[in-house]
Amino acid sequence: MKKILFSLAVIGLAAVPGFVAGQEAPPTLIVSLDSSTPLAKTITIAPDQTSVAFAAIRIAGGSVSATINGIQLASDFPGVSNAVNAIYNIRVYDGAQLVGSTFLGGLSEFNGAYYYAWLDLVEPVVVPAGGVKIFNIVANVRPQTSGEVRLGVTGLNFVLLLGAYTVGLPVYGNSMNVQPAVSPNLPDLAVPAGFVISPSIRKFNEDVFVTFTLANQGTASASPAVYAYTSQADGISRPHPSNTCTGSTVLPPGGSCVSAYVFTFPTTGTKQLVVKLNPSGQVAESNSANNEISTNFAVVAAPTNVALSLLSPTRAEYVNRGGPYTVRWSTSGTLPSDASLFFYLVRNGAALGRLAASAISASANSYVWDTSAYFLETTGAARATEAGSGYQIKSVLQSGGDTIATALGEQFSLSDQIIRSVSVGVPNGGEQWQGGSVQTIQWGSSNVYEVAIYLLRGSGIVRTIADIATNPSQYRWAITDDIPNGSDYRVRVTDPSSGVFDDSDQSFTIAGQSGGSSLIPDGSLIRARGDYKVWIVKGGYRRHITSARIFSLYGHLGFAQVMEVDPGVPNRYAESDLVRAVGDARVWQIDAAGKKHWLKMNHEQFLARGHSPTAIFDINSRERDFYRAAADITP
């Protein structure tokens, strides 16, 4: 009779590196076999036997509480390789609450002396100070098992590094004499290696290949049937020519065949692949618990020429450690709907951790980083940053769990004491600038590497002159003739990363405009001579009419109304992609793919992103509904 011994090992922490004499000692836990543990007996195993109770482990708390988050299952019997298949779905209960399970698995690791498996608890279990916890251990036993089995305790993991000392280990339950109730000479169909799904990015309307090896791990031959499908009705499957698991296949003990299928999905989303190894139940098996297995995978839109660029921080920039900093990026190409970004802090070529604990929407184009910390990728724990140089930010763009683009930013430094300042030099009051002329805006700055420039009239922003100007001290501004004459203009220069700004000290004048308005009436359709693009103009802005179908949404628009203008005329207008339907307060941004994104933010946040209310074009509800909705844009 074979003897199979199982145990759960508790790791004592007296020798854990990092414990320093004089520190408060961790609590001591006393581990013993509880009086409620099952007595030794003979168990007759029927097919699919479940919930055989093996041990009740008592853990008594010490002077302070201790939190357990993992248990190690192990076996000290040399023939445990048989037990790996014989005993499975080992479960640990805290009273009636299931706190951990190996599910269909058993003991899969071997350290040279015994097989073992670490079991992460579903929720950490707290052993209160002076209190007691009882862990009840049960497991499933396959019908072909024959021999003695016992379970005990040999290992615990704690939430804190110095979690607890342990006394009384190892502890074993009583041996159970397991006898099969049916003949062991039955097949056992299984998929030991799991599924292989390719390609790594599964795109809709393209073939997805699914393969797996079907093995007979029993002691008798079988002619298996295999049924593969998805739980979503849109999954269309067909066998692949490499499929060798057919209705005429006979698998002897230890034999195997390859099942191969091709799936096509007309929609995106999460799909569940389900495989039934014995769908009609026509094969009498020694273990039918694994006859239905499943896995999930994502089907995404195909990324088209996607590229990623980091715009900030810039080379040699000093970033204030401990304060907020705006990381900016841009993308090109058609982003998949599930595209997300992960940012990593790199120093001297080595990745330290993530800037954010979770993924960031790729369409946001900016993220405010708390520069005092980063997050370890393995545990999610926060770590403080250090002042110094050699830092970079790496961005990884993912879709469907796969990387589709990466970018590594310029080197920058983190400093504890950074004073940023901006000072407008020209115009600073009293200047007379002519409409249609090109003037140079000048400023001085300290620890500022790029700026945004706005035109103010009175106390409000009336135009964005430059979203981003990288020249450290000046910007050439062409004053278009749609800017009204006036003597109450000022210029604001802003550092986007910190919000530091300065305005002209006094007002300056813009004069010589043609009545203070554009020569082209608002609402006009224009097209540069020799170019195919049609624009609608309003104030100092132009909006691209991306499709001729938009004309049909208005009774007064058409190609007959398009004016041909000199090639330089459209460039006198700033391009805008902002629209708002009449009667609808929401402002939408239309992207290059013809999708609309709701700017889900208040007025101050709208202005902080560099937008101007005068850049919003009014449209009717039919055109608003013409564009497909995409991800919202939030601050």
Side-chain angles (χ1 to χ4, degrees):
M1 179 180 295
K2 294 184 178 179
K3 187 174 183 179
I4 308 167
L5 307 181
F6 286 80
S7 60
L8 289 176
V10 176
I11 298 174
L13 297 175
V16 171
F19 180 74
V20 180
Q23 292 182 346
E24 182 179 351
T28 298
L29 301 182
I30 300 176
V31 185
S32 61
L33 196 64
D34 190 69
S35 60
S36 63
T37 200
L39 299 176
K41 59 184 176 180
T42 297
I43 301 174
T44 300
I45 301 300
D48 301 319
Q49 179 74 41
T50 60
S51 300
V52 176
F54 284 98
I57 305 302
R58 175 187 176 91
I59 302 178
S63 58
V64 296
S65 64
T67 303
I68 302 170
N69 67 356
I71 299 175
Q72 186 188 45
L73 305 173
S75 171
D76 56 0
F77 182 64
V80 73
S81 58
N82 180 53
V84 173
N85 296 323
I87 309 298
Y88 67 101
N89 196 11
I90 305 172
R91 305 181 297 285
V92 178
Y93 291 86
D94 175 12
Q97 180 68 38
L98 177 67
V99 296
S101 170
T102 63
F103 299 103
L104 296 180
L107 307 179
S108 59
E109 302 292 335
F110 186 66
N111 68 357
Y114 54 81
Y115 285 84
Y116 66 93
W118 273 106
L119 178 65
D120 293 327
L121 301 188
V122 177
E123 295 288 344
V125 174
V126 177
V127 181
V132 172
K133 282 290 180 181
I134 306 296
F135 281 162
N136 293 297
I137 305 169
V138 300
N140 289 25
V141 182
R142 301 192 194 279
Q144 68 269 32
T145 304
S146 178
E148 292 188 27
V149 178
R150 73 174 183 177
L151 298 175
V153 169
T154 57
L156 294 178
N157 258 353
F158 299 92
V159 170
L160 299 178
L161 177 62
L162 300 179
Y165 294 112
T166 55
V167 175
L169 296 174
V171 175
Y172 297 103
N174 295 307
S175 296
M176 303 297 170
N177 187 1
V178 177
Q179 297 294 333
V182 296
S183 170
N185 294 319
L186 291 173
D188 179 12
L189 302 179
V191 179
F195 303 112
V196 176
I197 304 175
S198 61
S200 58
I201 300 179
R202 295 109 199 178
K203 295 169 282 192
F204 74 98
N205 287 335
E206 296 188 15
D207 287 343
V208 176
F209 298 90
V210 177
T211 60
F212 56 91
T213 298
L214 177 62
N216 182 0
Q217 299 178 339
T219 57
S221 298
S223 296
V226 181
Y227 179 34
Y229 65 98
T230 61
S231 58
Q232 290 74 24
D234 65 351
I236 303 168
S237 68
R238 60 189 186 277
H240 188 267
S242 63
N243 182 68
T244 61
C245 293
T246 66
S248 60
T249 301
V250 177
L251 292 181
S256 64
C257 59
V258 175
S259 286
Y261 292 86
V262 181
F263 285 83
T264 304
F265 299 91
T267 62
T268 61
T270 299
K271 312 297 179 181
Q272 183 184 47
L273 171 68
V274 182
V275 170
K276 291 188 175 182
L277 307 182
N278 187 9
S280 302
Q282 75 273 27
V283 178
E285 293 192 63
S286 60
N287 173 39
S288 60
N290 60 358
N291 273 352
E292 181 173 319
I293 52 180
S294 64
T295 189
N296 293 339
F297 58 89
V299 175
V300 300
T304 305
N305 299 323
V306 175
L308 176 66
S309 298
L310 275 171
L311 305 179
S312 66
T314 57
R315 179 171 292 278
E317 182 173 352
Y318 282 86
V319 174
N320 187 26
R321 191 179 77 90
Y325 180 85
T326 301
V327 179
R328 295 185 301 103
W329 65 89
S330 65
T331 59
S332 60
T334 302
L335 287 177
S337 58
D338 67 335
S340 58
L341 274 173
F342 293 92
F343 288 100
Y344 297 87
L345 184 63
V346 177
R347 191 175 191 188
N348 298 325
L352 302 178
R354 291 179 177 176
L355 267 61
S358 57
I360 301 166
S361 171
S363 60
N365 294 324
S366 66
Y367 171 73
V368 179
W369 170 37
D370 176 3
T371 59
S372 64
Y374 60 90
F375 300 89
L376 297 180
E377 186 172 17
T378 53
T379 65
R383 291 290 185 268
T385 56
E386 298 178 352
S389 59
Y391 285 102
Q392 291 173 282
I393 292 176
K394 180 181 179 180
S395 57
V396 177
L397 180 63
Q398 292 190 343
S399 173
D402 295 292
T403 298
I404 58 177
T406 61
L408 184 63
E410 302 281 3
Q411 287 197 4
F412 64 95
S413 299
L414 286 174
S415 176
D416 288 327
Q417 306 238 341
I418 296 180
I419 299 176
R420 301 181 189 274
S421 65
V422 177
S423 177
V424 176
V426 178
N428 208 31
E431 291 87 353
Q432 296 276 339
W433 285 359
Q434 294 296 309
S437 65
V438 177
Q439 301 291 339
T440 301
I441 299 173
Q442 302 178 37
W443 65 92
S445 64
S446 176
N447 295 316
V448 172
Y449 301 90
E450 54 188 19
V451 299
I453 306 173
Y454 305 98
L455 179 65
L456 284 66
R457 192 169 192 185
S459 60
I461 296 174
V462 296
R463 174 163 300 188
T464 299
I465 296 175
D467 287 319
I468 294 296
T470 56
N471 188 296
S473 61
Q474 63 182 25
Y475 179 79
R476 297 279 286 171
W477 176 36
I479 305 175
T480 55
D481 60 6
D482 60 289
I483 300 176
N485 294 326
S487 59
D488 56 347
Y489 288 106
R490 288 178 299 145
V491 161
R492 172 173 294 175
V493 178
T494 301
D495 172 22
S497 65
S498 66
V500 172
F501 69 90
D502 185 47
D503 297 343
S504 304
D505 291 342
Q506 302 294 329
S507 297
F508 68 94
T509 299
I510 295 177
Q513 301 283 35
S514 303
S517 63
S518 174
L519 297 176
I520 300 176
D522 286 353
S524 297
L525 298 173
I526 65 171
R527 177 175 62 84
R529 191 177 300 109
D531 193 4
Y532 67 92
K533 287 187 177 180
V534 175
W535 308 87
I536 186 168
V537 298
K538 182 200 74 166
Y541 294 91
R542 57 188 167 110
R543 180 171 72 91
H544 184 209
I545 304 299
T546 57
S547 170
R549 292 177 57 190
I550 295 176
F551 289 156
S552 66
L553 306 177
Y554 296 87
H556 64 288
L557 294 182
F559 282 105
Q561 284 75 42
V562 178
M563 294 188 299
E564 187 176 86
V565 296
D566 290 335
V569 171
N571 293 331
R572 291 162 55 185
Y573 297 85
E575 187 171 350
S576 173
D577 53 8
L578 304 179
V579 299
R580 176 177 54 203
V582 176
D584 185 352
R586 292 174 297 177
V587 176
W588 303 87
Q589 188 172 46
I590 309 301
D591 65 21
K595 295 180 181 180
K596 61 184 177 185
H597 304 263
W598 179 24
L599 301 184
K600 196 174 183 180
M601 59 190 69
N602 59 34
H603 183 70
E604 289 73 19
Q605 293 165 337
F606 178 83
L607 296 178
R609 290 180 65 90
H611 297 305
S612 171
T614 58
I616 302 172
F617 281 74
D618 291 325
I619 61 175
N620 62 23
S621 59
R622 296 177 64 194
E623 183 180 355
R624 175 199 61 197
D625 298 338
F626 167 77
Y627 302 108
R628 291 179 296 165
D632 296 341
I633 298 177
T634 56

